[in-house]
Amino acid sequence: MTARTPSELIREEADLLAAGIELQQQGLDLLLAEMRALAALIPGEDSRLPTDAEVEAGFDNMPV
C-alpha cells in the first residue's frame, strides 16, 4: 500500500462529505414531498368560524 499525499487524503474526505450531504438532501427531499402530500389531505381551517378571541369578546359584557 502506497502512502497517499495530504491533498489526496483531503480530496477523499471531501468526496465522503459530499456523498453524505447528497444522501441527507435526498432524505429531506423525500420528507418534503411527504409533507406536501399530507398537507393536501388535511382540511384547512374554516375561516367563517369565529376565532377564540371573537368568542371571548362576546363574554366580556356579562355581569359578574
Side-chain angles (χ1 to χ4, degrees), residues 26-62:
Q26 289 175 4
L28 290 172
D29 289 341
L30 178 61
L31 179 61
L32 180 60
E34 290 174 349
M35 290 175 62
R36 286 182 174 161
L38 284 173
L41 298 175
I42 297 172
E45 185 176 322
D46 189 356
S47 61
R48 295 173 294 173
L49 298 174
T51 64
D52 288 341
E54 292 169 337
V55 171
E56 291 294 326
F59 295 115
D60 287 343
N61 59 0
M62 295 180 68

